[in-house]
Amino acid sequence: MPFVLPDPEGLAPEVYPLAWLLGTWRGEGVVDYPGIDEATFTQEIVIASDGGPYLSYTSTIRLVVAPSSTAALEDEPPAPVWQTESGYWRIPPERPTDWGLTADQHPVELLVADPSGHVALYIGAVGKGRIDLVSDAIVRAASGAEVSAGKRLYGLVNGELMWAHDLAAFGHPMQSYASGRLARVEALTDDEA
């Protein structure tokens, strides 16, 4: 499925390298981590612009729950929310010289808040439909989840948004935590671009 970049009118030039992320994405994924049983989930990600030099980001994950009966399939309420996060994608105003960026990459930052009690800043590179991020800082509330580091990878593959998230948490070393494959579910309108 080809992707057409949105009309740049109304989109801050600073975020042009991230324009391919704009829209609503839905799909499925899997989570598997020590202390968490492997499970399939559904996910919706919404990435939008209000004209500022950033893109807003929200993600909602619901574990897939078997229906109580096949007859009740259509009447089943949505599965409960398992994880949400919200934040902002930004392109730093100055190109860092120590991030190891190639000529076809731009620096990128992702600021994310999670109701499990932590806030994270990821930094990395965006270019050619791929984003590589590593955590630069993670701060947690006293009652927050014990997350110490993370890595994220996002990529546009055949028109779909693929992502993977590695995590160091609860005393475990960095390892695979979750991944997903999402499809765009709505076309961009003039109000979104």
Side-chain angles (χ1 to χ4, degrees), residues 17-23 25-26 28 41 43-47 55-61 83-90 105-106 108-114 118 120-135 150-167 177-184:
L18 298 169
W20 58 272
L21 285 171
L22 286 167
W25 302 83
R26 288 191 191 124
E28 293 187 347
F41 60 79
Q43 180 182 29
E44 178 177 271
I45 290 178
V46 178
I47 300 176
L55 299 178
S56 64
Y57 163 82
T58 59
S59 169
T60 303
I61 291 178
Q83 179 188 17
T84 64
E85 58 183 23
S86 60
Y88 297 94
W89 291 90
R90 297 171 15 104
Q105 292 178 317
H106 298 274
V108 64
E109 301 168 343
L110 173 61
L111 297 98
V112 181
D114 183 315
H118 68 273
L121 168 62
Y122 287 86
I123 60 172
V126 57
K128 295 187 177 182
R130 178 183 170 123
I131 303 170
D132 292 279
L133 299 164
V134 296
S135 58
K151 293 181 184 177
R152 295 183 183 215
L153 169 67
Y154 296 84
L156 187 63
V157 180
N158 296 325
E160 293 183 313
L161 179 61
M162 311 283 268
W163 65 267
H165 186 179
D166 293 353
L167 203 59
Y177 166 67
S179 60
R181 179 180 188 157
L182 312 175
R184 187 184 304 280

Side-chain angles (χ1 to χ4, degrees), residues 24-37:
T24 299
W25 302 83
R26 288 191 191 124
E28 293 187 347
V30 65
V31 62
D32 186 19
Y33 197 76
I36 300 172
D37 292 335

Side-chain angles (χ1 to χ4, degrees), residues 64-75:
V64 173
V65 179
S68 54
S69 73
T70 53
L73 242 170
E74 294 177 9
D75 298 327

Side-chain angles (χ1 to χ4, degrees), residues 7-23:
D7 181 349
E9 185 176 332
L11 188 64
E14 294 90 342
V15 294
Y16 284 177
L18 298 169
W20 58 272
L21 285 171
L22 286 167

